[in-house]
């Protein structure tokens, strides 16, 4: 929706955003949104996705990356985009949610809203960072999905751990230890070797962090996840790049509607790039490194350009030349070099994963309206709509005693019928506390002790303090160095008198004038 249209919407920022969603839903039958209010009718959680995101999830929903490191500036809400990977190895968006805190119940609400919008389909693999609340929510909402942990976050935490462990050593030893840690982490995490080798070979058996990491090794070590699709993804940076793209477009005072506008812009760019790659694949095929190889020709016809290049690279590694010495008479040596015959002319169907093929988007273009899904209207949306209807009816009846009586009788009648279905209802305890009956903006104030940011670990805090002290020491050293240099230059200036320091490119006459100035000052008290 255009920016000028957003500005014309009445109400608060939250109401304006919900009104945008409602208008899209009225024109797009496959648009979905849901939100949650607190006891003061303030917006505390919401989620939305459009029809294209639903169709993308039907095709590429085997892998889901979810990251919550980005927060909006105005309300400090937590942004949680749901990102996947398409057949060109590019980012594809499945939906976006916002939360006020990182509690288990908040993530449960968000994941349930996402699952409901997708017809209950769970991803094969979902990748997140090491958030305990998120882990608990995933086990409740997506019990059949394989939960993977981001390698990048593990490596970052490892730096905190080993920095603190080695903080008592000298600076030189500390740098060597940090370098060794990086090498070990890339070796053990990247090549599927276990933490057990760190414990035994490098005498780290007393490190509790390593023990915990080893206990959850099936969540980060690729060797334990060969039976689940992950697309070769080892980190949640696909989701973080989304946050970075949006943050570059927003000001520090940006609201929810501003975020929505930036979000739509980012998604439009992604889809435009994907359409460009689809056009490339439809118009031609890439050149092959080895001509007249039927297996490569078949792969080139089936896979997208990006995936074909990956296939070709692996094929070349597996088709190394054979050699055999045919002459060795003491004076010369001759070899017969050849490539082995390749009898396979095509890739068997059972080895072709449809999500990497050019034709995978054929199924995505099916109109979602023709499919049967049990999505339904979210409870929060129904409550919001019915409350507005009743509010307008009551306001219209307030000046007429007859109309008031009709409303009272209608409420009593409906109450009896509803109680027959759901049990006793306390009418006086129901209702929205807001006088306007609308949704209020998220609260920028929090209760004492309540926070929406994750608590930093003890190691991380001490690491930050040590880094701050080191930075302060460097600044102090630079300041002292600058003062000493100024003092030296001042003394030289007094000594030189009218002479001046010579730049290396200055002429010899300049140097003579400077020397003369020094000679004139010799012996002067």
């Amino acid at each position: 929706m255009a920016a000028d249209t957003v500005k014309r919407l009445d109400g608060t920022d939250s109401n304006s955003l919900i009104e945008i969603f409602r208008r899209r839903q009225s024109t797009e039958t496959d648009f979905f949104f849901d939100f949650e209010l607190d006891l003061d009718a303030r917006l505390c959680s919401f989620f939305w996705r459009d029809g294209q995101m639903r169709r993308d999830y039907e095709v590429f929903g085997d892998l889901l990356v979810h990251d919550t490191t980005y927060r909006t500036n105005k309300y400090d809400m937590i942004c949680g985009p749901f990102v996947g990977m398409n057949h060109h190895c590019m980012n594809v968006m499945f939906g976006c949610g916002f939360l006020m805190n990182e509690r288990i119940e908040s993530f449960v609400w968000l994941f349930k809203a996402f699952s409901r919008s997708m017809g209950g389909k769970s991803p094969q693999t979902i990748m997140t960072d090491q958030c305990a609340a998120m882990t608990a929510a995933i086990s409740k909402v997506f019990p059949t999905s394989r939960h993977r942990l981001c390698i990048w976050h593990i490596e970052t935490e490892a730096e905190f751990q080993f920095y603190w462990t080695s903080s008592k050593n000298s600076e030189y030893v500390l740098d060597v230890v940090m370098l060794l840690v990086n090498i070990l982490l890339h070796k053990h995490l990247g090549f599927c070797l276990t933490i057990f080798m760190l414990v035994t070979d490098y005498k780290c058996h007393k490190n509790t962090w390593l023990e915990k990491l080893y206990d959850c090794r099936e969540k980060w070590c690729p060797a334990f996840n060969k039976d689940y699709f992950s697309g070769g993804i080892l980190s949640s940076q696909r989701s973080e790049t989304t946050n970075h793209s949006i943050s570059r477009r927003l000001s520090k005072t940006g609201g929810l509607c501003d975020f929505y506008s930036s979000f739509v812009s980012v998604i439009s760019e992604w889809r435009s790039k994907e359409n460009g790659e689809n056009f490339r694949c439809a118009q031609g095929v890439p050149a092959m490194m080895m001509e007249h190889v039927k297996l490569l020709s078949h792969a080139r016809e089936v896979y997208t350009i990006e995936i074909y290049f990956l296939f070709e690279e692996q094929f070349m590694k597996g088709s190394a030349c054979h050699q055999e010495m045919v002459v060795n008479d003491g004076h010369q040596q001759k070899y017969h070099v050849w490539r082995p015959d390749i009898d396979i002319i095509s890739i068997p169907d059972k080895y072709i994963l449809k999500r990497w093929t050019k034709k995978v988007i054929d199924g995505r273009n099916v109109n979602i309206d023709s499919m049967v899904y049990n999505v339904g209207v979210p409870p929060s949306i129904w409550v919001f709509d019915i409350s507005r209807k009743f509010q307008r009816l009551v306001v219209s009846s307030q000046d007429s005693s007859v109309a008031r009586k009709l409303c009272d009788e209608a409420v009593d009648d409906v109450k009896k019928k509803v109680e027959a279905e759901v049990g006793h209802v306390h009418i006086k305890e129901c209702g929205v506390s807001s006088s306007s009956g609308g949704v209020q903006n998220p609260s920028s104030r929090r209760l004492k002790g309540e926070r929406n940011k994750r608590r930093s670990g003890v190691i991380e805090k001490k690491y930050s303090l040590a880094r701050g002290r080191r930075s302060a020491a460097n600044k102090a050293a630079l300041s002292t160095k600058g003062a000493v240099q100024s003092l030296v230059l001042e003394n030289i200036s007094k000594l030189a008198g009218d002479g001046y320091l010579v730049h290396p490119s200055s002429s010899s006459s300049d140097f003579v004038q400077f020397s003369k100035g020094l000679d004139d000052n010799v012996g002067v008290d």
Side-chain angles (χ1 to χ4, degrees):
M1 184 174 292
D4 58 342
T5 304
V6 174
K7 293 179 181 178
R8 290 198 299 268
L9 294 173
D10 295 330
T12 62
D13 192 17
S14 297
N15 278 313
S16 298
L17 180 67
I18 293 176
E19 185 63 23
I20 293 175
F21 292 160
R22 289 173 59 84
R23 292 188 180 186
R24 288 198 61 178
Q25 194 175 59
S26 65
T27 58
E28 307 171 31
T29 56
D30 51 0
F31 185 86
F32 178 93
F33 75 100
D34 194 3
F35 62 89
E36 187 180 32
L37 306 179
D38 61 15
L39 296 178
D40 295 324
R42 293 189 178 277
L43 186 67
C44 58
S45 305
F46 65 91
F47 167 82
W48 85 92
R49 62 116 181 104
D50 60 21
Q52 183 65 45
M53 296 176 186
R54 172 63 185 268
R55 291 187 285 272
D56 287 336
Y57 186 75
E58 287 293 326
V59 179
F60 306 114
D62 44 13
L63 172 65
L64 181 63
V65 181
H66 186 67
D67 178 78
T68 56
T69 58
Y70 177 72
R71 284 157 171 78
T72 55
N73 292 309
K74 189 172 183 178
Y75 304 109
D76 202 29
M77 292 187 76
I78 304 166
C79 174
F82 294 86
V83 181
M85 181 172 58
N86 64 14
H87 53 320
H88 302 294
C89 292
M90 300 168 61
N91 279 1
V92 58
M93 183 64 68
F94 299 142
C96 186
F98 271 76
L99 301 173
M100 283 301 298
N101 56 67
E102 290 190 313
R103 298 174 180 171
I104 297 177
E105 55 269 23
S106 298
F107 282 116
V108 168
W109 181 91
L110 178 61
F111 292 156
K112 284 186 176 180
F114 175 82
S115 178
R116 187 168 60 253
S117 74
M118 299 301 181
K121 177 182 178 181
S122 299
Q124 290 188 31
T125 301
I126 178 169
M127 178 165 288
T128 69
D129 58 10
Q130 291 176 288
C131 175
M134 198 184 304
T135 300
I138 290 175
S139 63
K140 291 183 178 180
V141 184
F142 303 118
T144 61
S145 301
R146 176 62 60 93
H147 183 199
R148 297 283 301 277
L149 297 178
C150 171
I151 294 295
W152 182 84
H153 284 92
I154 293 178
E155 292 181 354
T156 302
E157 185 178 353
E159 291 184 7
F160 294 146
Q161 297 287 338
F162 283 93
Y163 185 94
W164 173 246
T165 302
S166 309
S167 59
K168 296 183 180 179
N169 296 333
S170 66
E171 181 178 347
Y172 172 77
V173 174
L174 181 60
D175 291 338
V176 173
V177 171
M178 291 300 297
L179 177 61
L180 176 62
V181 168
N182 287 330
I183 294 175
L184 290 176
L185 281 174
H186 283 290
K187 174 183 177 182
H188 289 273
L189 299 182
F191 296 96
C192 306
L193 298 179
T194 65
I195 293 298
F196 178 75
M197 295 183 63
L198 277 175
V199 176
T200 55
D201 296 351
Y202 300 97
K203 311 301 180 183
C204 299
H205 57 280
K206 294 183 179 181
N207 190 295
T208 57
W209 177 79
L210 283 177
E211 291 181 358
K212 293 180 179 179
L213 188 62
Y214 179 75
D215 291 338
C216 66
R217 57 192 178 278
E218 70 282 352
K219 291 186 177 182
W220 54 263
C221 185
F224 293 94
N225 294 276
K226 295 300 183 180
D227 53 337
Y228 280 75
F229 176 81
S230 63
I233 302 299
L234 296 177
S235 73
S236 59
Q237 288 183 330
R238 284 186 174 270
S239 181
E240 292 172 2
T241 55
T242 310
N243 302 333
H244 178 69
S245 300
I246 295 174
S247 62
R248 288 189 292 106
R249 293 170 165 82
L250 289 177
S251 64
K252 294 183 178 180
T253 58
L256 299 179
C257 291
D258 298 320
F259 178 90
Y260 169 79
S261 178
S262 299
F263 182 86
V264 171
S265 177
V266 170
I267 301 308
S268 297
E269 291 181 6
W270 287 11
R271 291 173 179 174
S272 177
K273 291 179 180 179
E274 180 184 337
N275 291 335
E277 289 299 313
N278 291 337
F279 181 79
R280 285 182 60 204
C281 293
Q283 292 300 311
V285 292
M288 296 190 303
M289 294 182 65
M290 293 176 58
E291 297 292 341
H292 310 298
V293 178
K294 293 183 179 180
L295 185 62
L296 288 181
S297 298
H298 182 237
R300 187 173 61 171
E301 293 296 329
V302 171
Y303 294 125
T304 60
I305 295 176
E306 183 68 22
I307 300 303
Y308 168 75
F309 285 144
L310 295 176
F311 179 90
E312 185 182 58
E313 179 182 0
Q314 296 299 319
F315 177 83
M316 295 301 295
K317 290 180 179 180
S319 59
C321 294
H322 291 190
Q323 70 281 341
E324 180 182 358
M325 182 180 294
V326 293
V327 175
N328 186 7
D329 56 6
H331 299 284
Q332 61 179 348
Q333 295 179 343
K334 293 184 179 180
Y335 292 87
H336 180 203
V337 181
W338 78 98
R339 291 187 182 275
D341 295 332
I342 301 175
D343 298 330
I344 303 176
I345 61 176
S346 63
I347 305 173
D349 292 340
K350 65 179 181 179
Y351 296 124
I352 298 177
L353 197 59
K354 187 178 180 180
R355 68 158 354 263
W356 299 127
T357 64
K358 301 176 184 179
K359 295 183 179 181
V360 67
I361 58 176
D362 295 343
R364 186 182 61 178
N365 294 332
V366 176
N367 190 344
I368 200 169
D369 293 336
S370 62
M371 303 180 184
V372 178
Y373 295 117
N374 185 23
V375 176
V377 179
S380 58
I381 307 300
W382 179 85
V383 171
F384 182 76
D385 289 340
I386 201 69
S387 298
R388 293 178 65 179
K389 292 178 181 179
F390 274 115
Q391 183 186 24
R392 292 171 183 172
L393 182 63
V394 170
V395 171
S396 301
S397 306
Q398 62 182 347
D399 297 328
S400 172
S401 58
V402 177
R404 287 186 180 184
K405 183 178 180 180
L406 291 174
C407 289
D408 290 336
E409 292 176 351
V411 169
D412 292 337
D413 184 55
V414 172
K415 181 176 181 294
K416 293 178 182 179
K417 295 180 179 179
V418 170
E419 287 181 336
E421 294 292 333
V422 300
H424 185 61
V425 177
H426 299 279
I427 296 292
K428 294 183 180 180
E429 297 179 6
C430 296
V432 180
S433 60
S434 171
S435 59
S436 63
V439 178
Q440 301 301 304
N441 287 340
S443 175
S444 58
R445 295 183 299 176
R446 307 184 188 281
L447 298 176
K448 185 177 180 180
E450 184 179 5
R451 56 196 295 166
N452 76 334
K453 295 184 179 179
R454 300 179 194 172
R455 298 182 181 273
S456 301
V458 176
I459 301 298
E460 183 177 354
K461 290 180 180 179
K462 293 182 178 180
Y463 174 86
S464 300
L465 290 174
R467 185 172 54 184
R469 287 194 295 266
R470 186 174 180 178
S471 176
N474 291 336
K475 290 181 179 179
L478 291 176
S479 178
T480 304
K481 181 178 180 181
V484 173
Q485 289 178 341
S486 299
L487 181 61
V488 172
L489 291 176
E490 183 180 354
N491 292 334
I492 291 177
S493 177
K494 291 180 179 179
L495 179 64
D498 295 333
Y500 48 85
L501 296 178
V502 184
H503 190 274
S505 61
S506 302
S507 61
S508 58
S509 60
D510 295 334
F511 179 73
V512 172
Q513 182 179 357
F514 174 71
S515 301
K516 183 177 181 299
L518 291 178
D519 295 337
D520 293 340
N521 285 279
V522 175
V524 178
D525 293 334

